[in-house]
mmCIF file of all heavy atoms in Angstrom:
data_model
loop_
_atom_site.group_PDB
_atom_site.id
_atom_site.type_symbol
_atom_site.label_atom_id
_atom_site.label_comp_id
_atom_site.label_asym_id
_atom_site.label_seq_id
_atom_site.Cartn_x
_atom_site.Cartn_y
_atom_site.Cartn_z
ATOM 1 N N ALA A 1 0.813 -1.214 0.000
ATOM 2 C CA ALA A 1 0.000 0.000 0.000
ATOM 3 C C ALA A 1 0.847 1.265 0.000
ATOM 4 O O ALA A 1 0.507 2.251 -0.659
ATOM 5 C CB ALA A 1 -0.934 -0.010 1.209
ATOM 6 N N HIS A 2 1.989 1.257 0.727
ATOM 7 C CA HIS A 2 2.772 2.488 0.841
ATOM 8 C C HIS A 2 3.546 2.812 -0.433
ATOM 9 O O HIS A 2 4.161 3.872 -0.516
ATOM 10 C CB HIS A 2 3.728 2.411 2.038
ATOM 11 C CG HIS A 2 4.816 1.385 1.904
ATOM 12 N ND1 HIS A 2 4.623 0.048 2.217
ATOM 13 C CD2 HIS A 2 6.108 1.491 1.481
ATOM 14 C CE1 HIS A 2 5.751 -0.612 2.011
ATOM 15 N NE2 HIS A 2 6.660 0.232 1.567
ATOM 16 N N ARG A 3 3.506 1.927 -1.425
ATOM 17 C CA ARG A 3 4.173 2.193 -2.695
ATOM 18 C C ARG A 3 3.207 2.579 -3.817
ATOM 19 O O ARG A 3 3.640 2.907 -4.923
ATOM 20 C CB ARG A 3 4.961 0.947 -3.147
ATOM 21 C CG ARG A 3 6.102 0.561 -2.237
ATOM 22 C CD ARG A 3 7.216 1.575 -2.297
ATOM 23 N NE ARG A 3 8.377 1.172 -1.522
ATOM 24 C CZ ARG A 3 9.398 1.966 -1.246
ATOM 25 N NH1 ARG A 3 9.391 3.211 -1.691
ATOM 26 N NH2 ARG A 3 10.409 1.530 -0.529
ATOM 27 N N ILE A 4 1.921 2.538 -3.549
ATOM 28 C CA ILE A 4 0.944 2.747 -4.610
ATOM 29 C C ILE A 4 1.008 4.165 -5.170
ATOM 30 O O ILE A 4 0.925 4.387 -6.383
ATOM 31 C CB ILE A 4 -0.474 2.418 -4.098
ATOM 32 C CG1 ILE A 4 -0.587 0.919 -3.840
ATOM 33 C CG2 ILE A 4 -1.529 2.854 -5.100
ATOM 34 C CD1 ILE A 4 -0.285 0.044 -5.039
ATOM 35 N N ALA A 5 1.147 5.168 -4.301
ATOM 36 C CA ALA A 5 1.218 6.548 -4.789
ATOM 37 C C ALA A 5 2.431 6.741 -5.696
ATOM 38 O O ALA A 5 2.359 7.459 -6.698
ATOM 39 C CB ALA A 5 1.282 7.519 -3.611
ATOM 40 N N GLU A 6 3.551 6.088 -5.365
ATOM 41 C CA GLU A 6 4.745 6.188 -6.197
ATOM 42 C C GLU A 6 4.501 5.617 -7.590
ATOM 43 O O GLU A 6 5.116 6.062 -8.562
ATOM 44 C CB GLU A 6 5.913 5.437 -5.552
ATOM 45 C CG GLU A 6 6.377 6.027 -4.231
ATOM 46 C CD GLU A 6 7.474 5.188 -3.604
ATOM 47 O OE1 GLU A 6 8.066 4.340 -4.324
ATOM 48 O OE2 GLU A 6 7.738 5.347 -2.407
ATOM 49 N N GLN A 7 3.620 4.614 -7.691
ATOM 50 C CA GLN A 7 3.342 3.989 -8.975
ATOM 51 C C GLN A 7 2.412 4.823 -9.848
ATOM 52 O O GLN A 7 2.242 4.539 -11.028
ATOM 53 C CB GLN A 7 2.736 2.590 -8.767
ATOM 54 C CG GLN A 7 3.575 1.649 -7.933
ATOM 55 C CD GLN A 7 4.983 1.483 -8.460
ATOM 56 O OE1 GLN A 7 5.199 1.473 -9.670
ATOM 57 N NE2 GLN A 7 5.946 1.380 -7.564
ATOM 58 N N GLY A 8 1.768 5.852 -9.244
ATOM 59 C CA GLY A 8 0.913 6.723 -10.046
ATOM 60 C C GLY A 8 -0.566 6.609 -9.753
ATOM 61 O O GLY A 8 -1.397 6.981 -10.588
ATOM 62 N N VAL A 9 -0.917 6.100 -8.561
ATOM 63 C CA VAL A 9 -2.319 5.995 -8.166
ATOM 64 C C VAL A 9 -2.533 6.905 -6.953
ATOM 65 O O VAL A 9 -1.928 6.702 -5.901
ATOM 66 C CB VAL A 9 -2.726 4.555 -7.803
ATOM 67 C CG1 VAL A 9 -4.200 4.505 -7.379
ATOM 68 C CG2 VAL A 9 -2.475 3.625 -8.983
ATOM 69 N N GLY A 10 -3.370 7.935 -7.110
ATOM 70 C CA GLY A 10 -3.702 8.834 -6.012
ATOM 71 C C GLY A 10 -5.163 8.694 -5.663
ATOM 72 O O GLY A 10 -5.973 8.293 -6.497
ATOM 73 N N ARG A 11 -5.517 9.038 -4.414
ATOM 74 C CA ARG A 11 -6.916 8.895 -4.032
ATOM 75 C C ARG A 11 -7.314 9.920 -2.984
ATOM 76 O O ARG A 11 -6.480 10.471 -2.265
ATOM 77 C CB ARG A 11 -7.221 7.488 -3.514
ATOM 78 C CG ARG A 11 -6.695 7.177 -2.127
ATOM 79 C CD ARG A 11 -7.289 5.885 -1.581
ATOM 80 N NE ARG A 11 -8.711 6.015 -1.263
ATOM 81 C CZ ARG A 11 -9.468 5.021 -0.780
ATOM 82 N NH1 ARG A 11 -8.950 3.818 -0.598
ATOM 83 N NH2 ARG A 11 -10.741 5.208 -0.510
ATOM 84 N N THR A 12 -8.631 10.188 -2.948
ATOM 85 C CA THR A 12 -9.243 10.914 -1.852
ATOM 86 C C THR A 12 -10.100 9.922 -1.072
ATOM 87 O O THR A 12 -10.309 8.783 -1.511
ATOM 88 C CB THR A 12 -10.115 12.070 -2.352
ATOM 89 O OG1 THR A 12 -11.230 11.531 -3.099
ATOM 90 C CG2 THR A 12 -9.321 13.017 -3.246
ATOM 91 N N PHE A 13 -10.608 10.377 0.081
ATOM 92 C CA PHE A 13 -11.370 9.486 0.956
ATOM 93 C C PHE A 13 -12.741 10.085 1.241
ATOM 94 O O PHE A 13 -12.899 11.307 1.324
ATOM 95 C CB PHE A 13 -10.631 9.260 2.277
ATOM 96 C CG PHE A 13 -9.345 8.490 2.117
ATOM 97 C CD1 PHE A 13 -8.182 9.146 1.759
ATOM 98 C CD2 PHE A 13 -9.303 7.129 2.320
ATOM 99 C CE1 PHE A 13 -6.992 8.453 1.605
ATOM 100 C CE2 PHE A 13 -8.119 6.414 2.167
ATOM 101 C CZ PHE A 13 -6.957 7.083 1.808
ATOM 102 N N GLN A 14 -13.722 9.191 1.423
ATOM 103 C CA GLN A 14 -15.067 9.654 1.760
ATOM 104 C C GLN A 14 -15.042 10.430 3.074
ATOM 105 O O GLN A 14 -15.631 11.497 3.203
ATOM 106 C CB GLN A 14 -16.013 8.456 1.868
ATOM 107 C CG GLN A 14 -17.437 8.844 2.215
ATOM 108 C CD GLN A 14 -18.364 7.640 2.278
ATOM 109 O OE1 GLN A 14 -17.970 6.523 1.963
ATOM 110 N NE2 GLN A 14 -19.581 7.850 2.701
ATOM 111 N N ASN A 15 -14.360 9.879 4.073
ATOM 112 C CA ASN A 15 -14.119 10.579 5.329
ATOM 113 C C ASN A 15 -12.740 11.218 5.225
ATOM 114 O O ASN A 15 -11.744 10.520 5.061
ATOM 115 C CB ASN A 15 -14.172 9.607 6.510
ATOM 116 C CG ASN A 15 -15.536 8.937 6.634
ATOM 117 O OD1 ASN A 15 -16.565 9.595 6.545
ATOM 118 N ND2 ASN A 15 -15.538 7.632 6.801
ATOM 119 N N LEU A 16 -12.699 12.532 5.288
ATOM 120 C CA LEU A 16 -11.465 13.258 5.033
ATOM 121 C C LEU A 16 -10.297 12.704 5.832
ATOM 122 O O LEU A 16 -10.408 12.430 7.027
ATOM 123 C CB LEU A 16 -11.651 14.738 5.371
ATOM 124 C CG LEU A 16 -12.626 15.510 4.478
ATOM 125 C CD1 LEU A 16 -12.856 16.902 5.039
ATOM 126 C CD2 LEU A 16 -12.104 15.584 3.056
ATOM 127 N N ALA A 17 -9.152 12.536 5.159
ATOM 128 C CA ALA A 17 -7.944 12.009 5.795
ATOM 129 C C ALA A 17 -6.854 13.065 5.809
ATOM 130 O O ALA A 17 -5.701 12.797 5.474
ATOM 131 C CB ALA A 17 -7.475 10.747 5.060
ATOM 132 N N LEU A 18 -7.230 14.283 6.182
ATOM 133 C CA LEU A 18 -6.289 15.391 6.248
ATOM 134 C C LEU A 18 -5.692 15.500 7.652
ATOM 135 O O LEU A 18 -6.171 14.871 8.593
ATOM 136 C CB LEU A 18 -6.986 16.702 5.882
ATOM 137 C CG LEU A 18 -7.528 16.794 4.451
ATOM 138 C CD1 LEU A 18 -8.465 17.993 4.325
ATOM 139 C CD2 LEU A 18 -6.390 16.900 3.442
ATOM 140 N N PHE A 19 -4.654 16.330 7.783
ATOM 141 C CA PHE A 19 -4.079 16.649 9.086
ATOM 142 C C PHE A 19 -4.688 17.987 9.519
ATOM 143 O O PHE A 19 -4.254 19.053 9.060
ATOM 144 C CB PHE A 19 -2.562 16.731 8.998
ATOM 145 C CG PHE A 19 -1.922 15.409 8.659
ATOM 146 C CD1 PHE A 19 -1.637 15.062 7.342
ATOM 147 C CD2 PHE A 19 -1.620 14.500 9.667
ATOM 148 C CE1 PHE A 19 -1.060 13.846 7.030
ATOM 149 C CE2 PHE A 19 -1.035 13.265 9.365
ATOM 150 C CZ PHE A 19 -0.759 12.944 8.047
ATOM 151 N N PRO A 20 -5.694 17.965 10.386
ATOM 152 C CA PRO A 20 -6.485 19.170 10.644
ATOM 153 C C PRO A 20 -5.702 20.319 11.274
ATOM 154 O O PRO A 20 -6.065 21.480 11.098
ATOM 155 C CB PRO A 20 -7.593 18.677 11.580
ATOM 156 C CG PRO A 20 -7.067 17.412 12.178
ATOM 157 C CD PRO A 20 -6.195 16.802 11.131
ATOM 158 N N ASN A 21 -4.638 20.026 12.016
ATOM 159 C CA ASN A 21 -3.897 21.088 12.684
ATOM 160 C C ASN A 21 -2.752 21.647 11.843
ATOM 161 O O ASN A 21 -2.042 22.550 12.293
ATOM 162 C CB ASN A 21 -3.362 20.591 14.029
ATOM 163 C CG ASN A 21 -4.482 20.360 15.031
ATOM 164 O OD1 ASN A 21 -5.421 21.145 15.102
ATOM 165 N ND2 ASN A 21 -4.398 19.279 15.779
ATOM 166 N N LEU A 22 -2.574 21.103 10.634
ATOM 167 C CA LEU A 22 -1.578 21.643 9.708
ATOM 168 C C LEU A 22 -2.260 22.596 8.736
ATOM 169 O O LEU A 22 -3.469 22.548 8.530
ATOM 170 C CB LEU A 22 -0.886 20.516 8.941
ATOM 171 C CG LEU A 22 -0.054 19.534 9.763
ATOM 172 C CD1 LEU A 22 0.619 18.523 8.836
ATOM 173 C CD2 LEU A 22 0.987 20.248 10.611
ATOM 174 N N THR A 23 -1.468 23.448 8.119
ATOM 175 C CA THR A 23 -2.013 24.385 7.142
ATOM 176 C C THR A 23 -2.347 23.672 5.840
ATOM 177 O O THR A 23 -1.943 22.526 5.614
ATOM 178 C CB THR A 23 -1.009 25.506 6.852
ATOM 179 O OG1 THR A 23 0.154 24.928 6.231
ATOM 180 C CG2 THR A 23 -0.613 26.247 8.108
ATOM 181 N N VAL A 24 -3.058 24.386 4.994
ATOM 182 C CA VAL A 24 -3.395 23.849 3.674
ATOM 183 C C VAL A 24 -2.131 23.475 2.905
ATOM 184 O O VAL A 24 -2.010 22.365 2.376
ATOM 185 C CB VAL A 24 -4.219 24.874 2.878
ATOM 186 C CG1 VAL A 24 -4.350 24.450 1.417
ATOM 187 C CG2 VAL A 24 -5.594 25.059 3.502
ATOM 188 N N ILE A 25 -1.157 24.379 2.854
ATOM 189 C CA ILE A 25 0.036 24.103 2.054
ATOM 190 C C ILE A 25 0.838 22.949 2.635
ATOM 191 O O ILE A 25 1.405 22.139 1.885
ATOM 192 C CB ILE A 25 0.904 25.366 1.882
ATOM 193 C CG1 ILE A 25 1.960 25.118 0.787
ATOM 194 C CG2 ILE A 25 1.539 25.805 3.191
ATOM 195 C CD1 ILE A 25 2.633 26.383 0.306
ATOM 196 N N ASP A 26 0.858 22.812 3.964
ATOM 197 C CA ASP A 26 1.573 21.689 4.560
ATOM 198 C C ASP A 26 0.898 20.365 4.209
ATOM 199 O O ASP A 26 1.570 19.360 3.942
ATOM 200 C CB ASP A 26 1.660 21.849 6.074
ATOM 201 C CG ASP A 26 2.676 22.904 6.492
ATOM 202 O OD1 ASP A 26 3.577 23.197 5.684
ATOM 203 O OD2 ASP A 26 2.560 23.442 7.615
ATOM 204 N N ASN A 27 -0.434 20.344 4.206
ATOM 205 C CA ASN A 27 -1.146 19.126 3.823
ATOM 206 C C ASN A 27 -0.854 18.748 2.373
ATOM 207 O O ASN A 27 -0.643 17.584 2.058
ATOM 208 C CB ASN A 27 -2.653 19.308 4.023
ATOM 209 C CG ASN A 27 -3.133 18.879 5.392
ATOM 210 O OD1 ASN A 27 -3.383 17.704 5.641
ATOM 211 N ND2 ASN A 27 -3.238 19.844 6.303
ATOM 212 N N VAL A 28 -0.851 19.732 1.481
ATOM 213 C CA VAL A 28 -0.594 19.447 0.067
ATOM 214 C C VAL A 28 0.854 19.006 -0.134
ATOM 215 O O VAL A 28 1.136 18.105 -0.930
ATOM 216 C CB VAL A 28 -0.930 20.673 -0.799
ATOM 217 C CG1 VAL A 28 -0.615 20.397 -2.266
ATOM 218 C CG2 VAL A 28 -2.403 21.043 -0.642
ATOM 219 N N CYS A 29 1.772 19.601 0.608
ATOM 220 C CA CYS A 29 3.182 19.201 0.503
ATOM 221 C C CYS A 29 3.380 17.746 0.890
ATOM 222 O O CYS A 29 4.242 17.061 0.323
ATOM 223 C CB CYS A 29 4.050 20.086 1.393
ATOM 224 S SG CYS A 29 4.393 21.723 0.728
ATOM 225 N N ILE A 30 2.584 17.271 1.851
ATOM 226 C CA ILE A 30 2.703 15.867 2.263
ATOM 227 C C ILE A 30 2.427 14.945 1.077
ATOM 228 O O ILE A 30 3.090 13.921 0.897
ATOM 229 C CB ILE A 30 1.749 15.575 3.435
ATOM 230 C CG1 ILE A 30 2.287 16.243 4.709
ATOM 231 C CG2 ILE A 30 1.570 14.068 3.648
ATOM 232 C CD1 ILE A 30 1.314 16.257 5.866
ATOM 233 N N GLY A 31 1.458 15.316 0.238
ATOM 234 C CA GLY A 31 1.211 14.524 -0.969
ATOM 235 C C GLY A 31 2.411 14.517 -1.888
ATOM 236 O O GLY A 31 2.774 13.486 -2.464
ATOM 237 N N GLY A 32 3.073 15.664 -2.033
ATOM 238 C CA GLY A 32 4.235 15.752 -2.901
ATOM 239 C C GLY A 32 5.416 14.949 -2.432
ATOM 240 O O GLY A 32 6.267 14.542 -3.240
ATOM 241 N N HIS A 33 5.495 14.661 -1.119
ATOM 242 C CA HIS A 33 6.641 13.911 -0.599
ATOM 243 C C HIS A 33 6.693 12.485 -1.115
ATOM 244 O O HIS A 33 7.745 11.848 -1.083
ATOM 245 C CB HIS A 33 6.626 13.911 0.936
ATOM 246 C CG HIS A 33 7.114 15.190 1.543
ATOM 247 N ND1 HIS A 33 8.262 15.826 1.136
ATOM 248 C CD2 HIS A 33 6.598 15.966 2.542
ATOM 249 C CE1 HIS A 33 8.442 16.922 1.842
ATOM 250 N NE2 HIS A 33 7.431 17.043 2.691
ATOM 251 N N THR A 34 5.559 11.956 -1.593
ATOM 252 C CA THR A 34 5.577 10.589 -2.129
ATOM 253 C C THR A 34 6.425 10.493 -3.382
ATOM 254 O O THR A 34 6.869 9.407 -3.755
ATOM 255 C CB THR A 34 4.152 10.104 -2.460
ATOM 256 O OG1 THR A 34 3.591 10.950 -3.485
ATOM 257 C CG2 THR A 34 3.264 10.138 -1.229
ATOM 258 N N GLN A 35 6.639 11.620 -4.058
ATOM 259 C CA GLN A 35 7.420 11.612 -5.296
ATOM 260 C C GLN A 35 8.812 12.230 -5.123
ATOM 261 O O GLN A 35 9.631 12.143 -6.020
ATOM 262 C CB GLN A 35 6.676 12.393 -6.386
ATOM 263 C CG GLN A 35 5.298 11.864 -6.709
ATOM 264 C CD GLN A 35 5.315 10.469 -7.306
ATOM 265 O OE1 GLN A 35 6.279 10.057 -7.912
ATOM 266 N NE2 GLN A 35 4.227 9.730 -7.119
ATOM 267 N N SER A 36 9.081 12.836 -3.950
ATOM 268 C CA SER A 36 10.341 13.561 -3.801
ATOM 269 C C SER A 36 11.481 12.724 -3.261
ATOM 270 O O SER A 36 12.631 13.142 -3.298
ATOM 271 C CB SER A 36 10.127 14.775 -2.883
ATOM 272 O OG SER A 36 9.796 14.349 -1.568
ATOM 273 N N GLY A 37 11.154 11.528 -2.731
ATOM 274 C CA GLY A 37 12.212 10.658 -2.236
ATOM 275 C C GLY A 37 12.987 11.249 -1.075
ATOM 276 O O GLY A 37 14.220 11.241 -1.063
#
């Protein structure tokens, strides 16, 4: 499962899986880390 995003499969969730105490840009950056190595 932890390699799926690296292969090119992204997803959202019915129940939000965000980090509520982080900022918007920090949450989006977390998605980018899957490709930054």
Side-chain angles (χ1 to χ4, degrees):
H2 66 276
R3 296 291 185 191
I4 292 303
E6 295 176 16
Q7 304 305 324
V9 179
R11 74 168 290 179
T12 65
F13 293 84
Q14 180 178 354
N15 299 314
L16 293 172
L18 296 167
F19 295 93
N21 291 320
L22 296 183
T23 65
V24 169
I25 193 166
D26 285 338
N27 269 277
V28 178
C29 282
I30 288 169
H33 282 313
T34 62
Q35 301 295 334
S36 65

